[in-house]
Amino acid sequence: MKKSFITNLIIVLGLNLSIKPFFIFAVDRQVQNIVGTQEYGVYFGLLSFSFLFNVILDFGITSFNNRNIAQNTHLLSKHFSRMIILKLTLAVIYLLVCTTVGLAAGYDVRRMKLLLILCFMQFLISFIAYLRSNISGMHLFKTDSVLSAMDRMIAIAACAPFLWFHFFANPIDIMDFVYIQLLAYGLTASIAFIIVVRKAGFIKFEWNRTFSLTILKQSFPFALLAMIMSFYNRVDGFLLERLVHDNGAQDGIYAQAFRLLDATNMIAVLAAGLLLPMFARMLKFNEPVESMVTGAYTLLFAAAVVIAGSCYFYSGEIMKMLYKNDVQETSIIFSILMCCFMGSATQYVFGTLLTANGNLKYMNIIAASGMFFNIVLNFIMIPRFHAIGAACVSLATQLLVPAIQIMVIQRVFKFKTLGKLFLTLGMFAAGVVLLGYFVHRLPLDWRISFILMVGASGILAFAVGLLNIKTLLGMLKKG
């Protein structure tokens, strides 16, 4: 299992760390620089709104299905045809809810049009995630890895005539950007659907009320968890748009700072996508998971510390390199938000383990506490401190939630090595901070000192025993 995780993580990260960051920085960032902070801020606020209710699209089916197919592969052909009809029914309900809430919130015609398109885009994203859950549940990780980056590859190709080849007289606007993404998700969903149909065999679409109610009942804890987590992970963008009346300016600034965190978070998201079916299968057969958990967490958290520390010390330089407008305020927000990655990395390992073990009651209580904490603080902080306040609340939430998860993990699994691991990780984090403090003050070009800090942090990881070449090679060689 360790070999499988490391090998597939390399494949997933290789594809996604080449394609998705290119999209984020060469396409998404450039679009914001072209359309402006306010225009992009409106888009970002509505995109955040569309995330709030996307649990209705899925209702926990994807997480439930990933775990279920990993443990019972033979159920794919039986469940797939009925699941498709259920997903379409949920999509109609989601669209009605978003439309109703959007009208109640007072959105004008232009915003409602954009919101409806983004809602359909959310349906396609959810549909792709469900299809991929079948593929990863069958342990077809390489196929899943390609699909995970395919939508961005298509979007990059479609944006190229606007951004680099200048085939059109007018520059790209936000609606062009939205339609391109819609096309990319639609093509990816079609390809993923064909792959799953071939694996599932004969498909006869049918609505089965008993089956649907059973699946919804079984997946309800997953749905509740997804809804709560989407609220405290995405509500900041929506609340900025509603509580600060500046035509999207603060949303646009926040989006600039959030972009790199969004890019780095995908490392943990992709790792969690690999870990969930592995944990589920190991737990089903009563295999010990502590070594797998600590190994995966060590790799992810060490990377998170280096990324967060480097971005904190070089926030001003990085933001000045990437953006044209509001650089000073963006750099402050960016330095705060990047520290959230350490909490995200922790959540995606320990939260995935609790999910795989079926401890959804614990997960929902923890997530609900985090949501309540996040929303209350945002209502206090955003009117006073705007985007900086939202960033501080996000960091506080991302530190609180994983801390509680770790306590629950220890209570449920009684791991023996976590104490020593956290001590080592703490020493490593302190060392990275010291390295950053001194290296940042060297009389060197910031790019050179940035690389020097990252390289020195990597050496430190080996020095304190977090990483071991023989161990990593052993994981790859073991069958």
Side-chain angles (χ1 to χ4, degrees):
M1 279 294 178
K2 278 188 178 181
K3 177 191 174 184
S4 180
F5 172 73
I6 296 294
T7 303
N8 288 296
L9 182 61
I10 291 172
I11 295 172
V12 169
L13 293 182
L15 280 171
N16 286 274
L17 291 182
S18 58
I19 301 300
K20 290 192 176 181
F22 185 84
F23 174 82
I24 289 171
F25 296 111
V27 177
D28 190 59
R29 176 189 63 87
Q30 193 169 343
V31 168
Q32 180 167 1
N33 282 334
I34 291 171
V35 304
T37 303
Q38 286 190 336
E39 183 72 4
Y40 191 91
V42 172
Y43 159 77
F44 183 77
L46 292 172
L47 182 64
S48 298
F49 174 85
S50 70
F51 272 104
L52 295 181
F53 300 102
N54 73 353
V55 64
I56 300 172
L57 285 169
D58 184 71
F59 213 80
I61 291 172
T62 297
S63 295
F64 169 79
N65 191 68
N66 196 335
R67 179 171 175 260
N68 191 43
I69 296 300
Q71 295 179 342
N72 307 282
T73 309
H74 62 281
L75 293 177
L76 174 62
S77 58
K78 179 181 178 181
H79 286 182
F80 182 66
S81 60
R82 296 172 178 176
M83 285 283 201
I84 295 296
I85 302 301
L86 177 57
K87 290 283 291 182
L88 292 174
T89 303
L90 293 174
V92 173
I93 297 172
Y94 165 76
L95 186 62
L96 290 173
V97 169
C98 287
T99 302
T100 302
V101 177
L103 291 171
Y107 287 141
D108 57 25
V109 174
R110 179 175 177 272
R111 279 178 165 81
M112 281 303 302
K113 177 184 176 182
L114 180 55
L115 176 62
L116 291 175
I117 296 171
L118 291 173
C119 286
F120 184 64
M121 192 166 75
Q122 290 295 336
F123 162 69
L124 291 175
I125 294 171
S126 173
F127 191 52
I128 293 168
Y130 165 68
L131 294 169
R132 286 181 55 205
S133 74
N134 288 290
I135 293 169
S136 63
M138 292 183 288
H139 280 220
L140 300 174
F141 293 122
K142 293 179 182 178
T143 302
D144 182 55
S145 299
V146 173
L147 288 171
S148 70
M150 182 174 291
D151 56 283
R152 293 310 184 203
M153 289 189 284
I154 296 171
I156 290 168
C159 284
F162 289 94
L163 300 178
W164 305 305
F165 302 130
H166 306 293
F167 286 176
F168 305 101
N170 296 322
I172 192 171
D173 62 30
I174 203 67
M175 293 307 298
D176 294 329
F177 185 53
V178 170
Y179 286 131
I180 286 171
Q181 292 182 82
L182 202 63
L183 171 67
Y185 287 123
L187 290 175
T188 303
S190 300
I191 293 169
F193 180 77
I194 292 170
I195 292 171
V196 176
V197 166
R198 287 182 175 179
K199 293 292 181 181
F202 176 73
I203 299 297
K204 181 182 178 183
F205 298 114
E206 60 175 315
W207 167 258
N208 187 302
R209 182 175 179 273
T210 303
F211 172 84
S212 298
L213 291 176
T214 301
I215 292 296
L216 292 177
K217 182 178 179 181
Q218 291 178 333
S219 63
F220 176 75
F222 295 94
L224 184 61
L225 177 62
M227 181 186 71
I228 294 170
M229 292 186 70
S230 68
F231 261 84
Y232 79 70
N233 282 323
R234 288 288 182 171
V235 74
D236 42 12
F238 171 68
L239 289 178
L240 272 171
E241 195 268 339
R242 292 287 88 190
L243 298 177
V244 181
H245 306 290
D246 60 356
N247 294 319
Q250 283 294 305
D251 253 320
I253 293 170
Y254 190 84
Q256 289 185 161
F258 181 78
R259 183 168 285 113
L260 190 55
L261 175 62
D262 194 31
T264 51
N265 267 338
M266 75 181 179
I267 299 173
V269 171
L270 293 167
L274 294 174
L275 286 171
L276 180 60
M278 291 181 179
F279 285 159
R281 186 163 293 186
M282 292 172 75
L283 291 166
K284 179 182 179 181
F285 294 106
N286 295 317
E287 297 177 18
V289 295
E290 183 170 4
S291 176
M292 186 70 184
V293 172
T294 56
Y297 180 60
T298 298
L299 288 174
L300 286 175
F301 191 79
V305 169
V306 175
I307 292 170
S310 302
C311 291
Y312 179 86
F313 284 104
Y314 294 89
S315 59
E317 293 88 342
I318 294 172
M319 293 297 100
K320 187 176 180 180
M321 178 183 68
L322 294 176
Y323 301 113
K324 299 176 182 178
N325 305 311
D326 306 295
V327 172
Q328 184 174 358
E329 186 175 0
T330 301
S331 65
I332 297 172
I333 299 167
F334 174 69
S335 65
I336 298 169
L337 284 178
M338 288 310 297
C339 293
C340 295
F341 184 46
M342 293 183 289
S344 298
T346 304
Q347 285 191 69
Y348 278 115
V349 174
F350 292 107
T352 299
L353 178 61
L354 287 173
T355 301
N357 196 46
N359 300 120
L360 294 177
K361 180 180 178 181
Y362 288 131
M363 284 292 290
N364 281 314
I365 292 173
I366 295 169
S369 301
M371 180 187 71
F372 179 77
F373 176 79
N374 184 280
I375 293 175
V376 170
L377 277 189
N378 266 318
F379 271 101
I380 296 171
M381 297 288 284
I382 287 177
R384 296 184 62 186
F385 303 106
H386 300 168
I388 292 176
C392 291
V393 173
S394 181
L395 177 59
T397 307
Q398 294 292 349
L399 294 177
L400 173 67
V401 171
I404 300 174
Q405 285 181 349
I406 290 168
M407 290 188 287
V408 173
I409 284 284
Q410 190 58 29
R411 178 180 177 182
V412 173
F413 290 93
K414 296 180 172 57
F415 289 151
K416 298 179 181 179
T417 59
L418 282 187
K420 181 180 178 181
L421 175 62
F422 289 136
L423 179 61
T424 306
L425 289 171
M427 292 170 55
F428 174 68
V432 170
V433 171
L434 288 174
L435 278 172
Y437 180 82
F438 289 108
V439 172
H440 188 246
R441 283 159 175 74
L442 293 175
L444 300 170
D445 179 86
W446 78 267
R447 297 170 185 83
I448 297 174
S449 63
F450 180 88
I451 295 171
L452 181 61
M453 179 185 171
V454 173
S457 298
I459 295 172
L460 179 63
F462 285 99
V464 300
L466 284 180
L467 300 179
N468 185 291
I469 293 177
K470 289 183 178 179
T471 301
L472 292 175
L473 291 175
M475 286 182 181
L476 293 172
K477 290 178 180 178
K478 288 178 182 177

